Amino acid sequence: MSATSNGARDATVAGVDVGGTFTDILVFDEATREARVAKVPSTRTREAAGFLDGLRAAHAGLGRLGAIVHGTTVGTNALLERTGASCGLITTAGFRDVLEMRRRDRPETWGLRGTFEPVIPRDLRIEVAERTGADGTVVTAVDLDAVRAAARELRDRGAEAAVIAFVNAYANDANEQAALAVLREEWPNQHVAAASAILGEMREFERSSTAALNGYLQPVVGSYLEALAAGLNEAGFGGELLVVQSNGGVMTALDAQRLPVRTALSGPAAGVIAAARCAADAGIRDVITCDMGGTSFDVALVADGRAATTQEAKVDFGLVVRMPMVEIRTIGAGGGSIARVDAGGLLRIGPESAGSVPGPACYGAGNDRPTVTDANLVLGRIDGEQPLGEGLGRLDVEAARRALLTHVGAPLGLDETAAAAAVVEVANARLAGAIRLMSIERGHDPARFALMPFGGGGALHVCSLLREVGGHRALVPRFPGLTSALGCVLADARHDIVHTLNVGLDQLDEEALRHECAAHAASGRRWLEQAGVTIDAVEISHEVDMAYRGQSHAVTVALPPEPTRASLAAAFGDSYRAVFGHALDRVPVRLLTLRTIVIGRRPQLDLRVFAPAPDATVASATRASRPVWSGGEWRETSIYDR
């Protein structure tokens, strides 16, 4: 799929999703119409090595690959575990504590306690004299000598990266760019950036937070991708290395090194893209995706064929990223989530996970605490003789039973079967709660949505989840454990451009708005050309964030084909009523932000390649039967080879 190559190299693309427990690979050869898959344990301290091991397990033939599309959790894990780089911040005098003040929110809404430490500590946040007004007027030119001194101080204190975030730089970035030029002269590496180049949008805290998190991740994600590229080149790969963004599109590895914050939900977003495509090809437009991996359960909503998106997300409390991204609700309840009985005698599942090392008790790698996977194994839902991935032998059922009896059965007075059933039931309750949060709380009835379970454990729980949330049908994709890897193959190139308008609707210059849209479209096309990604077509759409005067929260409105004050007012009224049930017809309206989405449609995989052979029958797929615990009793259950 290289834009400059042809022949055999063009024919093959690999999707690689590195999760917390397993690395999943799907390789598709367009010439032979064959797909190969592999699942290997993730190597948390050597992610690049696990990536290459997975490609070899899938017999990818790196020399023939035209493209590798990668979904990664390196950035996500660094944020959640606070293992990013030491980063410094240079900001406007008087605004040193913006990251700490946030929006004056609390970890627990009704709690009186709660602490938060920004990823950039206070001694690495330095103020300099400068000021730009909200209208873009430079009130005070930046003190470049102070910037130079700040850069040296940050460097001496051990900062590996640095960001500049000046007040109102979204309106005029002249001071930021002048300071950035000086910072580059003083800095020993390329890990420096101006906040306005990462997020050119109003809202001081959100812009500063996004820039700070980007700087925090740059050395970590950058070194990982550099090591990965070096390993791939050494193995003979000469095609495109692309990375899935949190918005469900792909970007080049070089762009990912520059803007790693855009990969915060990379892997889960790829799964949603694949689920939406599989459902659409099956004629289903409304889907709730349920991605249950080894460490987490990710839920997303696809309505009328489109995945729900958000412009802002909290990766963890206080760690706010303002970027377009697929809206995903994540809880710590995966197959490797550890079950325990707390001090009050209640059975808890997660968020602690056994991961891939040592893994569930049944892996026999040293963990003696029970997990959801152990419970499913004891209940006969998983075949202990079939390995869950490359490098894993048969599963140790006796070890799973001992773990359940010791840590769940004994404290609660249950035998091994009842203990396992209790673990699964509590896990199902947590999973169902996440589904309700993504549907009912957003005004959607889950009964009209099909559930699409994927990830290694999703399909094991889907029937119980249907009963819990009142659903009626589920669609289980082929290779459910590798759906995110499939999403990597299916993802299109995407570039988002954001520009603050902050103007009253009655003062809008309609011609200037149309000119701005055209400029954004041209910029997006240039990005696609420079990225070198093979595309079949380009699609461009525009949105505006609008609000009534005095409101702090906006409603996103699709820009009408011919944007005028009247058409925008009508579109905003319709969108506001759809969200809140009414409109405030006499209150003035403001346009806050213009957003342009540029999508380059990549060559698409025909999903019929995964269809069964024409002569396939249920009888020929029948392999055996075994007892499985279901509905409160053991039942002899037929086993099929899908």
Side-chain angles (χ1 to χ4, degrees):
M1 289 197 175
S2 171
T4 58
S5 60
N6 51 44
R9 183 182 295 281
D10 287 343
T12 308
V13 60
V16 183
D17 175 52
V18 179
T21 304
F22 284 106
T23 293
D24 303 329
I25 298 95
L26 186 146
V27 180
F28 178 65
D29 190 321
E30 293 180 357
T32 63
R33 311 297 296 166
E34 292 179 345
R36 297 184 297 279
V37 299
K39 181 181 282 284
V40 301
S42 294
T43 50
R44 285 294 303 275
T45 57
R46 298 166 46 251
E47 287 91 348
F51 187 111
L52 293 168
D53 290 344
L55 286 172
R56 295 187 187 100
H59 307 290
L62 289 173
R64 292 188 65 249
L65 282 178
I68 296 174
V69 188
H70 181 21
T72 174
T73 57
V74 171
T76 311
N77 292 336
L79 292 177
L80 293 175
E81 298 168 5
R82 295 298 186 101
T83 55
S86 175
C87 180
L89 172 70
I90 300 175
T91 189
T92 306
F95 288 81
R96 183 183 187 184
D97 296 317
V98 165
L99 292 178
E100 214 138 14
M101 294 170 65
R102 305 179 310 282
R103 292 294 176 189
R104 302 189 70 179
D105 50 349
R106 295 177 297 227
E108 297 179 18
T109 303
W110 307 113
L112 298 178
R113 299 180 181 178
T115 59
F116 170 70
E117 291 291 333
V119 295
I120 301 179
R122 199 169 194 271
D123 65 331
L124 293 181
R125 305 196 298 263
I126 299 177
E127 300 177 349
V128 298
E130 76 83 34
R131 194 56 181 258
T132 299
D135 61 354
T137 302
V138 176
V139 179
T140 303
V142 61
D143 184 341
L144 296 180
D145 290 335
V147 172
R148 195 178 304 278
R152 292 171 178 171
E153 185 175 350
L154 291 175
R155 189 183 60 199
D156 292 343
R157 291 180 180 178
E160 302 170 64
V163 294
I164 299 171
F166 289 161
V167 172
N168 296 326
Y170 69 88
N172 182 351
D173 67 350
N175 275 355
E176 274 197 356
Q177 290 303 318
L180 182 62
V182 171
L183 180 60
R184 282 183 172 140
E185 293 174 4
E186 296 291 335
W187 210 252
N189 57 49
Q190 297 300 309
H191 302 318
V192 294
S196 57
I198 298 168
L199 179 64
E201 187 176 347
M202 64 187 296
R203 292 184 175 88
E204 212 57 49
F205 164 64
E206 287 77 5
R207 188 170 69 257
S208 299
S209 175
T210 303
L213 295 180
N214 195 78
Y216 185 68
L217 293 179
Q218 260 191 310
V220 175
V221 175
S223 61
Y224 163 68
L225 289 175
E226 287 173 5
L228 179 59
L232 289 170
N233 291 336
E234 186 177 338
F237 174 67
E240 301 167 353
L241 176 59
L242 305 174
V243 178
V244 179
Q245 304 181 64
S246 303
N247 61 19
V250 299
M251 59 181 172
T252 65
L254 288 176
D255 281 334
Q257 291 179 47
R258 184 173 59 87
L259 294 169
V261 74
R262 292 190 177 182
T263 69
L265 291 174
S266 173
V272 177
I273 296 303
R277 170 70 188 283
C278 291
D281 281 14
I284 300 174
R285 303 283 291 173
D286 298 320
V287 180
I288 297 173
T289 69
C290 307
D291 179 3
M292 187 175 184
T295 57
S296 65
F297 181 68
D298 303 319
V299 184
L301 189 137
V302 179
D304 196 25
R306 296 186 61 181
T309 58
T310 182
Q311 304 305 322
E312 184 177 307
K314 289 183 180 178
V315 180
D316 197 2
F317 174 73
L319 304 184
V320 173
V321 177
R322 187 163 179 83
M323 290 277 181
M325 59 185 69
V326 176
E327 188 171 12
I328 297 171
R329 171 77 61 168
T330 300
I331 62 172
S337 294
I338 293 172
R340 70 189 191 285
V341 177
D342 66 15
L346 295 177
L347 178 58
R348 305 283 189 182
I349 308 296
E352 185 183 1
S353 172
S356 57
V357 179
C362 60
Y363 282 18
N367 173 40
D368 64 355
R369 294 182 294 172
T371 67
V372 177
T373 293
D374 292 311
N376 278 316
L377 176 64
V378 168
L379 296 178
R381 300 178 175 204
I382 295 175
D383 184 358
E385 300 300 321
Q386 294 291 327
L388 296 178
E390 298 285 339
L392 294 176
R394 65 179 296 277
L395 302 179
D396 190 339
V397 181
E398 290 305 317
R401 288 186 176 126
R402 286 195 302 272
L404 284 161
L405 277 172
T406 301
H407 295 278
V408 177
L412 298 180
L414 304 174
D415 63 23
E416 62 188 42
T417 300
V423 168
V424 170
E425 189 172 346
V426 172
N428 286 338
R430 289 202 67 201
L431 307 184
I435 293 172
R436 293 188 187 99
L437 285 174
M438 279 300 296
S439 54
I440 296 173
E441 288 198 1
R442 286 161 175 76
H444 297 285
D445 180 2
R448 76 177 181 87
F449 288 78
L451 297 187
M452 178 172 283
F454 57 95
L460 287 169
H461 297 260
V462 70
C463 292
S464 296
L465 294 179
L466 284 172
R467 288 191 292 270
E468 287 271 359
V469 303
H472 302 293
R473 60 178 175 172
L475 178 65
V476 182
R478 181 81 182 273
F479 305 123
L482 295 113
T483 302
S484 290
L486 173 61
C488 293
V489 174
L490 296 175
D492 294 311
R494 173 167 169 164
H495 187 56
D496 293 270
I497 304 167
V498 179
H499 176 70
T500 291
L501 300 173
N502 196 22
V503 63
L505 182 59
D506 58 348
Q507 299 173 323
L508 175 67
D509 185 331
E510 297 171 352
E511 184 60 33
L513 177 62
R514 287 190 282 269
H515 178 77
E516 189 73 26
C517 289
H520 282 194
S523 175
R525 290 182 183 276
R526 286 195 300 272
W527 179 85
L528 287 175
E529 292 171 1
Q530 293 167 1
V533 180
T534 301
I535 57 174
D536 287 343
V538 178
E539 296 178 8
I540 300 174
S541 59
H542 307 280
E543 299 174 343
V544 283
D545 290 345
M546 302 176 67
Y548 289 113
R549 187 174 65 188
Q551 288 185 325
S552 59
H553 296 285
V555 172
T556 300
V557 178
L559 201 68
E562 290 296 327
T564 64
R565 294 175 185 174
S567 64
L568 282 166
F572 174 66
D574 292 342
S575 297
Y576 198 90
R577 274 188 289 269
V579 175
F580 298 105
H582 64 278
L584 310 177
D585 296 328
R586 293 183 177 84
V587 180
V589 175
R590 296 190 66 81
L591 281 75
L592 302 178
T593 304
L594 171 66
R595 187 174 296 103
T596 300
I597 302 105
V598 181
I599 296 177
R601 297 293 181 192
R602 295 174 59 233
Q604 285 298 294
L605 166 65
D606 186 345
L607 295 184
R608 286 177 295 184
V609 69
F610 299 126
D615 59 348
T617 64
V618 172
S620 65
T622 303
R623 290 293 174 262
S625 68
R626 68 169 181 267
V628 176
W629 182 267
S630 177
E633 62 179 337
W634 290 100
R635 305 184 186 197
E636 194 65 22
T637 305
S638 297
I639 308 301
Y640 302 94
D641 182 355
R642 186 173 180 185

